[in-house]
């Protein structure tokens, strides 16, 4: 059985992430969507809230499991008995950072294989902070995030 981990901060999960998750389920037997705290970012949602959004948004996918970790991704992968890491590549600008992470993760644990998947081009300009920013200004984000996330962002930003 091939298990893959899709790590990220998912603050919040967007249709772009879900596109990658769906593609990954066509390749791997089990896809663990793993939420972690990116120490360089100040989150809007707690880890528990994010886990809840992801579980709700992926409930129709049998092969998807949701989890969280702190510390190194390679240690979490070992704990889960997984060697594959999935990363999305949206544009050339993602490449340098992704290459560095992939090579460093491989250096830290030789068996780790990073697989890059490209989302549908309509999501290439999407990231979580742009969604948060639009939501914070009361803009319409319904084309970018599942309805549950849309509602929760409105609550966070006290938008009626
Ligand atoms: N659709 C929409 N948005 C996407 C996307 C997609 N397909 N793919 C990425 N994004 C967005 C993310 O939402 C994120 O947005 P934000 O910066 O506005 O929050 C942005 O693109 C960057 O995503 P990503 O590179 O996945 O960052 P991240 O913070 O979500 O994840 C970790 C980085 C958590 C995977 C990485 O820091 C990590 O592995 N940490 C664990 C510690 C560790 O092992 N460090 C050593 C690594 S070598």
């Amino acid at each position: 059985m091939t298990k893959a981990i899709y790590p990220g901060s998912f603050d919040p999960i967007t249709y772009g992430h879900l596109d990658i998750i769906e593609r990954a389920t066509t390749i791997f037997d089990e896809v663990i969507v793993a939420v972690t705290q990116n120490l360089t970012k100040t989150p809007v949602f707690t880890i528990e809230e994010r886990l809840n959004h992801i579980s709700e948004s992926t409930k129709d996918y049998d092969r998807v499991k949701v989890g969280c970790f702190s510390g190194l991704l390679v240690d979490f992968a070992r704990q889960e008995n997984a060697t594959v890491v999935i990363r999305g590549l949206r544009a050339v600008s993602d490449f340098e950072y992704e290459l560095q992470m992939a090579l460093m993760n491989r250096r830290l644990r030789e068996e780790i294989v990073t697989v890059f998947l490209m989302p549908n081009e309509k999501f290439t300009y999407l990231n979580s902070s742009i969604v948060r920013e639009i939501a914070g200004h009361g803009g319409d984000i319904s084309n970018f995030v599942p309805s549950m996330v849309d509602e929760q962002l409105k609550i966070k930003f006290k938008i009626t």
Side-chain angles (χ1 to χ4, degrees):
M1 182 172 106
T2 326
K3 244 189 206 186
I5 296 179
Y6 181 40
S9 39
F10 303 107
D11 187 38
I13 190 159
T14 68
Y15 284 140
H17 295 122
L18 287 166
D19 178 293
I20 298 288
I21 294 167
E22 194 175 340
R23 286 174 206 280
T25 61
T26 66
I27 307 172
F28 301 103
D29 299 309
E30 186 174 302
V31 177
I32 304 174
V33 183
V35 182
T36 192
Q37 204 67 64
N38 183 329
L39 298 177
T40 65
K41 296 177 182 173
T42 310
V44 166
F45 289 110
T46 64
I47 297 270
E48 288 67 32
E49 287 170 324
R50 286 179 258 164
L51 288 171
N52 198 17
H53 299 156
I54 299 168
S55 301
E56 181 61 29
S57 317
T58 59
K59 62 175 192 267
D60 295 333
Y61 300 122
D62 302 336
R63 295 174 180 218
V64 175
K65 261 184 57 183
V66 183
C68 64
F69 69 100
S70 55
L72 290 177
L73 173 60
V74 291
D75 292 336
F76 179 69
R78 194 191 306 273
Q79 184 192 310
E80 290 293 330
N81 216 8
T83 52
V84 178
V85 171
I86 296 163
R87 297 291 292 164
L89 270 188
R90 288 158 299 171
V92 178
S93 51
D94 282 343
F95 183 74
E96 215 168 316
Y97 171 63
E98 292 300 337
L99 179 72
Q100 184 187 26
M101 278 220 298
L103 294 178
M104 181 54 87
N105 281 327
R106 195 163 69 190
R107 184 73 215 282
L108 292 170
R109 192 177 159 215
E110 210 178 324
E111 316 87 276
I112 294 287
V113 175
T114 301
V115 173
F116 295 106
L117 298 175
M118 271 70 72
N120 187 304
E121 58 273 18
K122 68 184 177 196
F123 300 127
T124 49
Y125 57 90
L126 207 55
N127 65 20
S128 300
S129 27
I130 206 164
V131 166
R132 291 196 306 266
E133 186 182 338
I134 297 167
H137 291 292
D140 179 9
I141 51 162
S142 57
N143 287 326
F144 311 133
V145 294
S147 54
M148 180 205 197
V149 173
D150 188 352
E151 284 158 24
Q152 301 260 312
L153 274 168
K154 285 193 175 105
I155 294 168
K156 282 274 173 197
F157 293 120
K158 299 187 174 48
I159 290 163
T160 50

